[in-house]
Amino acid sequence: MSFSTRLRLRRAWPPAALLAVVALSAAAFHSPTDDDVVRRLVLSVQRFYAAALPEKAYLHLDKPWYTAGETIWLKAYVVDAERHQPDTLSKVLHVELLNANSQLVARRNLRLEAGLAPGDVALPDTLSPGNYTLRAYTGWMRNAGPTFFYSRQVAIWPAAPVETPDSKPAAVRARAAAARQLAQSVATPPDVQFFPEGGNLVAGLENTVAFKVTDFAAHGIDVEGKVFDGDNKLVAAFGSSHLGMGTFVLTPAAGQRYHAVLAPAAVPLTVPLPAVQASGYTLHVVTLTNDYLVAIRQQGGSGGPVLVLGQVRGTAAYVGRGQVSGTETFTARIPKSKFPAGIVHFTLFDGQGAPLAERLAFAQTDPGLRVTLTPDRPSYGSRQPVRVRVAVANAAGEPVAANLSLAVTDAGVAEAEANAETIASNLLLTSDLAGYVETPGYYFQNPTPETAQHLDALLLTQGWRRFAWTNVLSNKAPVQNFGVERSVSVLGQILQRNGKPVPGGKLNFLQTAPTKLFMATTADEEGRFLFNGIGGCDTIHVTLQSRTGKDGRNAELHLDPGPPVLRRPMFPLPMQVPGSLADALARSQQQRTIERKFRLDTTKTILLGGVMVKGAKAVVSDPRRLYPSTGATVLKMDDYPGSGSNTVLQMLQGRVAGVTVTGTGENTNVLIRGVTSFAGSSSPLFLLDGVPVDVSALAYFPATDAESIEVLKGGQAAIYGSRGSNGVIAVYSRRRSPNYKPSSAPAPGVAVLHLPAYYCGREFYVPRYDAPKTNREFPDARRSTLYWNPTVQTDAAGQAEVRFFTSDAKGAFQLRTEGLSRGGQPAQGQGTLRVE
């Protein structure tokens, strides 16, 4: 049996993943134990991905920056992190907008269909200008931590130009505060880091050392520097080549300490280099046009068998093995064609499978899918129909079916996207790197030898982050504190007042809006609980009630606060608008002025003159009650101030004629005499805030938390049909009353929540000027984003067509599309459109 066949672990292992064993030198050995080590390494990586099932998320936005009052139109793509196929694991994607202080501004729960979801975030007119963070994650991604969430910076400018100092002193003070913040931040010393290739500086061997110098906001700073040994003897000089990054060569001596002196902004800065290792291995990788040239050397040891494993997102595509002795250099030329597109993770192991050195490289073996956007005319007039033909093909020109999102924006807006992140740069590069990557689109826009050199420096300084070999080789199970979200859920923990968990605690879940739903669950041994299966749009109104301890009054409910926010300092918006954005921003602000004047930001608008409205304060009715309260026997809890620790069912005993309550806790039985059962049961129908519940939901419900208890008999309960044939007992809580004041004292063991459910997004509004009922009296101000379509699907022939109308705006517009094929190939394309 062949070696590659024996290593198949999954049912449909792709051909690119078949293991290729290549000798590093003529001295390669093939002992049985060697095969066992290789097999263990490969299977360890496969087991990790099979257990972790990592996901990636990407958001395609209609444009890179916005003004307050505009809408961020977006399309979400969620894929498995191994093959980038549209993921079907998670069904919910959380999208959050955070300000510069990491405070939540807006949140959306998007319903994923085959890993895809459209959405939008309406920005308030009152939103403060500045740089914001837009992040997206699934519940499953929380197991890996926030560093694996999708995150990008979004600039939000004022809705109107800043007024003069005399007319807007508040705006002037805000700008002055931003200037002071910027000055203070710029004065912060730069962050300087050195990264020996392979991981360590090894004495007596030529080492390639990468460096990266950034400011407080992780933006690269161009520098020059010199390296000195412990005797202050100059041993090397260097200079950054791109965004504060670069490399130099150093042959360190054993026992020496080295430091660098840098001069960013003419301010000398001394930084120590990593300590020199007396013994160890170096792993040097040179990226050629079609191959990788790998060189291995060792110092201070006896040498021995070594293995080189090259894997891309869990696909072990290459294993080389050989024998190293002395200071002899072993080299291998590895074809790039062996690897799928993305980051290649080279690891050097000894003969026992212990990692010695690591190195990242990049394989651009798949150029991705090309999308051609062709308008049906060279130019258009105002309010004219546009037809754009969309064609998707691979590098060989073969048509491909793909799911795309398309934006048509002001050409001035598009200039800011020159080096911005794309779906290809995210999936193939930034999503597998540690830390912030500045202008990631640069490495994909214009592939040249210089770009490849800059990308190599980036990989030397950013680092691999998907897993640690120590955990993988020990078969340590990935952390899985969070499950797969198939629906909106509520996660939390039941704690005693002393902070200790309540194992096996029981809870009730009561949802009253937008739909009615009742559920019950039992917490685990740590007191943690989960309610899922929650649907509906917008906001859900929920009451959680603990049924633990004496009436649940000694329990506290702590809801999951969500994932932590990774604080990354951001520059405030510049005092002066960059020249490339000035005109586009002015046009966008003008558009917002017209929209506010005519209320064009709503799809159905009637412009009225001055109108005076008079009226009396309406009496608020209780939407929880389906029957008139005069038809029921009512106990108002305010009439019983001494209810103490009684439950609502205990309050009925002896206070309502014909109602008998026996037993305690979940064994409580309630009987209403004088009614006949048609359902074979004598138990009445129980309602909590209008939602049918089990008797156990009321057996622990504190009477002090109830507003009223109402009993319906016979014909009074007819509105509930056969369900009410044994009578109805309805409990109405104080916290769901229309008259409830939140300032009232909270009840132990009870939590009233207003949670975001699924976001049912809006459709981008485009007037149909070929329809006779279209209102043509108002101006059509669409310019910043002329058109947005998140659901462009090409057929088997790779073809699709989109139609829309131009607005009153004239000038150049850019068409930009992104998306994915079913096989996980990123697709991108651009086009132009002109309105005369």
Side-chain angles (χ1 to χ4, degrees), residues 280-327:
Y281 286 78
T282 61
L283 174 63
H284 182 56
V285 178
V286 179
T287 302
L288 305 176
T289 303
N290 298 314
D291 306 289
Y292 298 110
L293 182 62
V294 177
I296 301 170
R297 298 183 70 189
Q298 74 91 28
Q299 174 76 343
S302 59
V306 292
L307 297 170
V308 175
L309 172 65
Q311 58 95 10
V312 179
R313 300 185 302 274
T315 297
Y318 171 85
V319 169
R321 50 191 181 178
Q323 190 85 14
V324 178
S325 61
T327 58

Side-chain angles (χ1 to χ4, degrees), residues 675-696:
V675 295
T676 303
S677 171
F678 295 99
S681 172
S682 60
S683 178
L685 172 65
F686 297 97
L687 301 175
L688 179 56
D689 288 332
V691 180
V693 297
D694 187 79
V695 65
S696 63

Side-chain angles (χ1 to χ4, degrees), residues 247-585:
T247 62
F248 61 89
V249 175
L250 175 66
T251 303
Q256 275 282 9
R257 295 289 300 179
Y258 295 87
H259 64 273
V261 178
L262 298 88
V267 179
L269 182 66
T270 300
V271 180
L273 267 66
V276 178
Q277 305 295 317
S279 62
Y281 286 78
T282 61
L283 174 63
H284 182 56
V285 178
V286 179
T287 302
L288 305 176
T289 303
N290 298 314
D291 306 289
Y292 298 110
L293 182 62
V294 177
I296 301 170
R297 298 183 70 189
Q298 74 91 28
Q299 174 76 343
S302 59
V306 292
L307 297 170
V308 175
L309 172 65
Q311 58 95 10
V312 179
R313 300 185 302 274
T315 297
Y318 171 85
V319 169
R321 50 191 181 178
Q323 190 85 14
V324 178
S325 61
T327 58
E328 182 181 358
T329 301
F330 288 90
T331 62
R333 190 178 283 261
I334 307 171
K336 289 184 179 179
S337 59
K338 291 184 176 294
F339 302 96
I343 295 177
V344 182
H345 184 194
F346 287 110
T347 307
L348 176 66
F349 299 90
D350 64 17
Q352 302 302 315
L356 302 172
E358 292 185 296
R359 174 68 153 88
L360 301 184
F362 191 79
Q364 187 56 285
T365 52
D366 185 352
L369 303 177
R370 181 169 176 266
V371 184
T372 304
L373 304 170
T374 309
D376 61 331
R377 297 173 57 181
S379 63
Y380 301 85
S382 298
R383 305 192 180 192
Q384 285 191 339
V386 179
R387 297 170 60 185
V388 177
R389 185 174 66 88
V390 182
V392 181
N394 59 21
E398 301 168 333
V400 177
N403 196 297
L404 310 169
S405 38
L406 171 67
V408 183
T409 57
D410 186 340
V413 172
E415 289 181 8
E417 293 185 296
N419 293 320
E421 185 179 55
T422 65
I423 192 169
S425 69
N426 176 267
L427 295 183
L428 300 179
L429 182 66
T430 57
S431 59
D432 287 320
L433 289 179
Y436 170 73
V437 177
E438 187 177 0
T439 62
Y442 162 80
Y443 305 103
F444 292 78
Q445 291 291 336
N446 184 25
T448 64
E450 183 182 37
T451 304
Q453 180 185 10
H454 296 164
L455 176 56
D456 195 56
L458 173 74
L459 296 175
L460 283 168
T461 58
Q462 292 295 129
W464 172 259
R465 64 174 189 158
R466 184 59 65 177
F467 62 76
W469 276 114
T470 303
N471 295 335
V472 171
L473 294 179
S474 63
N475 291 325
K476 183 178 179 180
V479 175
Q480 294 182 352
N481 293 327
F482 302 92
V484 175
E485 286 185 302
R486 298 284 182 172
S487 64
V488 177
S489 58
V490 176
L491 178 66
Q493 188 177 24
I494 312 177
L495 299 176
Q496 301 176 26
R497 292 186 178 180
N498 59 9
K500 294 182 179 180
V502 180
K506 298 181 180 180
L507 291 97
N508 289 329
F509 173 98
L510 176 67
Q511 176 182 315
T512 57
T515 58
K516 295 182 178 181
L517 176 66
F518 174 77
M519 295 184 288
T521 192
T522 301
D524 64 12
E525 63 276 5
E526 296 295 329
R528 294 172 298 191
F529 61 86
L530 172 68
F531 289 101
N532 51 29
I534 303 170
C537 293
D538 300 324
T539 302
I540 58 176
H541 303 274
V542 173
T543 298
L544 293 181
Q545 175 204 359
S546 170
R547 297 186 285 118
T548 302
K550 186 178 181 182
D551 299 337
R553 304 187 67 81
N554 294 322
E556 296 181 353
L557 301 180
H558 291 251
L559 298 182
D560 172 37
V565 176
L566 299 179
R567 297 182 64 91
R568 185 176 69 82
M570 292 186 291
F571 278 108
L573 293 178
M575 301 288 291
Q576 188 71 30
V577 180
S580 60
L581 294 180
D583 292 341
L585 178 59

Side-chain angles (χ1 to χ4, degrees), residues 17-188:
L18 296 180
L19 192 63
V21 181
V22 179
L24 285 178
S25 71
F29 63 95
H30 304 278
S31 67
T33 56
D34 181 43
D35 281 356
D36 291 341
V37 171
V38 174
R39 184 175 185 275
R40 180 171 65 88
L41 295 177
V42 176
L43 287 179
S44 295
V45 175
Q46 294 179 3
R47 287 193 191 99
F48 168 80
Y49 276 89
L53 295 174
E55 296 176 321
K56 295 181 180 181
Y58 174 76
L59 299 182
H60 176 207
L61 309 185
D62 60 318
K63 56 182 184 177
W65 57 264
Y66 299 85
T67 58
E70 288 188 319
T71 296
I72 299 176
W73 300 97
L74 60 90
K75 169 72 170 292
Y77 296 86
V78 178
V79 301
D80 72 87
E82 184 177 4
R83 304 180 192 177
H84 293 164
Q85 294 178 347
D87 195 27
T88 58
L89 188 65
S90 296
K91 299 299 182 183
V92 182
L93 181 71
H94 307 284
V95 178
E96 298 174 344
L97 183 66
L98 308 167
N99 63 19
N101 295 322
S102 301
Q103 297 171 322
L104 183 65
V105 175
R107 181 179 182 181
R108 301 287 186 264
N109 293 331
L110 303 184
R111 188 196 305 267
L112 293 169
E113 299 287 346
L116 309 172
D120 63 86
V121 178
L123 303 174
D125 283 328
T126 56
L127 192 64
S128 299
N131 283 314
Y132 288 71
T133 298
L134 189 67
R135 73 172 185 174
Y137 59 92
T138 66
W140 185 250
M141 292 169 65
R142 294 181 64 180
N143 291 312
T147 56
F148 289 90
F149 295 175
Y150 173 80
S151 179
R152 69 180 293 172
Q153 182 176 305
V154 177
I156 299 178
W157 295 86
V162 178
E163 302 291 340
T164 61
D166 294 335
S167 60
K168 290 290 184 180
V172 174
R173 289 195 297 270
R175 289 166 63 87
R180 288 193 298 270
Q181 177 187 352
L182 179 60
Q184 182 180 3
S185 301
V186 170
T188 303

